[in-house]
Amino acid sequence: MRSPADLTEAFRAHGLKVTPQRQLLFRLMHGNECHPTAESLFQTASEQMPGISLRTVYQTLNDLATMGELRSLDLGTGAVRFDPNIDDHHHVVCDRCSDVRDVYVSGSDALSIQGLDGFAVSNTSILFNGLCPRCAADSE
Amino acid sequence: MRSPADLTEAFRAHGLKVTPQRQLLFRLMHGNECHPTAESLFQTASEQMPGISLRTVYQTLNDLATMGELRSLDLGTGAVRFDPNIDDHHHVVCDRCSDVRDVYVSGSDALSIQGLDGFAVSNTSILFNGLCPRCAADSE
DNA sequence: TGCGAATCTGCACGTCTTGAAGATTGGCAC
DNA sequence: GTGCCAATCTTCAAGACGTGCAGATTCGCA
Ligand SMILES: [Mn+2]
Ligand SMILES: [Mn+2]
Ligand SMILES: [Zn+2]
Ligand SMILES: [Zn+2]
């Protein structure tokens, strides 16, 4: 996802308005590595802008995802997560605390795949599940 | 997933009751390659057993999943899907009609993976998205 | 400064799934 | 075969997540 300044410019260039709500979300998402949900962003945003609505958070994040500025991820944790990192990468999720981290995988072209007959595959995602270091330590 | 007969025996051995509802679901799931949702199974089951409740379908499928007789899959299609195939395999989903098919992947041990530091990974799932042959043809 | 379209808020609704309570029943003792 | 009781089933309400809609607000431009 581009910087708040770049996004501001891009929005205006596309005839979209640059509202305080959007700017706040630009800032909160830029460089954010937490893979937050709309709800958790709403919590954070509410601290800096009491009165902002959850609906606007959803709306803005979806707009940014449609524009390709961020990715929305369904990692099976209940709520969709939003990711400003649009590099080709994958994820690992802690089954206990739902923490998410980026995983980079290379060499996948060497995989031997059977069963895709005729499918026009547009996306491949690899999801790792397990326990994060903290939760693994706690459960000993 | 084991055969209806084996499951009947296994249920009784564990002190669980073998009800007509459960037996019907054993039959409907055994060898089922459609990756059905609870709702779609409920539709099918209702034809053979009017009055069966959606709640019972969810309950029974979840029980079977807990017992390891089947896998519940969140493929991002809205509702969880249930799979009697418990072999190590992955899935491809059609983004248009939500059709699901099994995909077998080998050579994944040759992948170079970065970012799993400290995570105790218990499961890895690969999800392919795209268009099935039929939908790909329709959209030409 | 004023206007109008875009946006925001608040709330209702839709979907999927589970919780809870009361009715029903499978499996066993007799 | 009968009766009992815990397990199960049905029904209905509610929880979680996300979206549609209507009316209030406001950004961006003249
Ligand atoms: Mn990421
Ligand atoms: Mn499968
Ligand atoms: Zn954790
Ligand atoms: Zn299709």
Side-chain angles (χ1 to χ4, degrees):
Chain A
M1 180 177 130
R2 285 180 281 176
S3 72
D6 287 352
L7 286 176
T8 296
E9 199 168 337
F11 266 59
R12 276 204 256 263
H14 282 271
L16 299 173
K17 293 183 176 176
V18 176
T19 65
Q21 291 88 346
R22 284 174 173 175
Q23 288 178 299
L24 173 56
L25 289 166
F26 294 168
R27 291 197 300 276
L28 293 182
M29 282 306 291
H30 186 65
N32 188 321
E33 299 191 348
C34 296
H35 303 84
T37 64
E39 177 67 38
S40 73
L41 271 173
F42 171 65
Q43 305 287 350
T44 308
S46 294
E47 293 170 12
Q48 299 181 45
M49 184 183 288
I52 191 174
S53 75
L54 177 58
R55 187 69 181 83
T56 294
V57 176
Y58 271 110
Q59 184 66 55
T60 302
L61 294 173
N62 284 337
D63 289 347
L64 287 168
T66 299
M67 296 164 140
E69 294 293 338
L70 49 78
R71 286 171 53 191
S72 67
L73 310 171
D74 182 348
L75 304 178
T77 53
V80 167
R81 289 162 180 277
F82 295 90
D83 191 350
N85 179 357
I86 54 180
D87 292 349
D88 180 35
H89 71 288
H90 302 278
H91 296 94
V92 56
V93 181
C94 177
D95 290 330
R96 179 162 308 176
C97 69
S98 293
D99 211 31
V100 177
R101 287 213 230 149
D102 287 337
V103 176
Y104 289 85
V105 175
S106 59
S108 51
D109 31 321
L111 290 175
S112 165
I113 299 170
Q114 190 177 96
L116 291 181
D117 345 76
F119 263 84
V121 174
S122 56
N123 189 264
T124 301
S125 44
I126 305 178
L127 179 62
F128 300 87
N129 279 271
L131 292 180
C132 72
R134 175 173 306 183
C135 289
D138 287 354
S139 62
E140 273 170 14
Chain B
M1 180 176 128
R2 285 180 281 175
S3 71
D6 286 352
L7 285 176
T8 296
E9 200 169 336
F11 267 58
R12 275 203 256 264
H14 283 271
L16 299 172
K17 293 182 178 177
V18 177
T19 66
Q21 292 88 348
R22 283 175 173 174
Q23 287 178 299
L24 172 55
L25 289 166
F26 293 169
R27 290 196 302 273
L28 292 181
M29 284 305 292
H30 186 65
N32 188 320
E33 299 190 349
C34 297
H35 303 86
T37 63
E39 178 67 38
S40 72
L41 270 173
F42 171 64
Q43 303 288 350
T44 307
S46 294
E47 294 170 11
Q48 297 181 47
M49 185 183 286
I52 191 175
S53 75
L54 177 57
R55 188 68 180 87
T56 295
V57 175
Y58 271 109
Q59 185 67 57
T60 302
L61 293 172
N62 284 337
D63 289 347
L64 286 169
T66 299
M67 296 166 133
E69 293 293 340
L70 48 79
R71 285 171 54 190
S72 67
L73 309 171
D74 181 347
L75 303 177
T77 52
V80 168
R81 289 163 180 276
F82 295 89
D83 193 349
N85 180 355
I86 53 180
D87 291 348
D88 181 34
H89 71 289
H90 303 280
H91 296 93
V92 56
V93 181
C94 177
D95 290 330
R96 180 163 306 175
C97 69
S98 295
D99 210 31
V100 177
R101 286 212 231 149
D102 287 337
V103 176
Y104 289 84
V105 175
S106 59
S108 50
D109 33 321
L111 290 175
S112 165
I113 299 171
Q114 193 175 94
L116 289 181
D117 345 77
F119 263 83
V121 174
S122 56
N123 188 263
T124 300
S125 44
I126 306 178
L127 179 62
F128 300 88
N129 279 272
L131 293 180
C132 71
R134 174 174 305 186
C135 288
D138 288 353
S139 64
E140 273 171 11

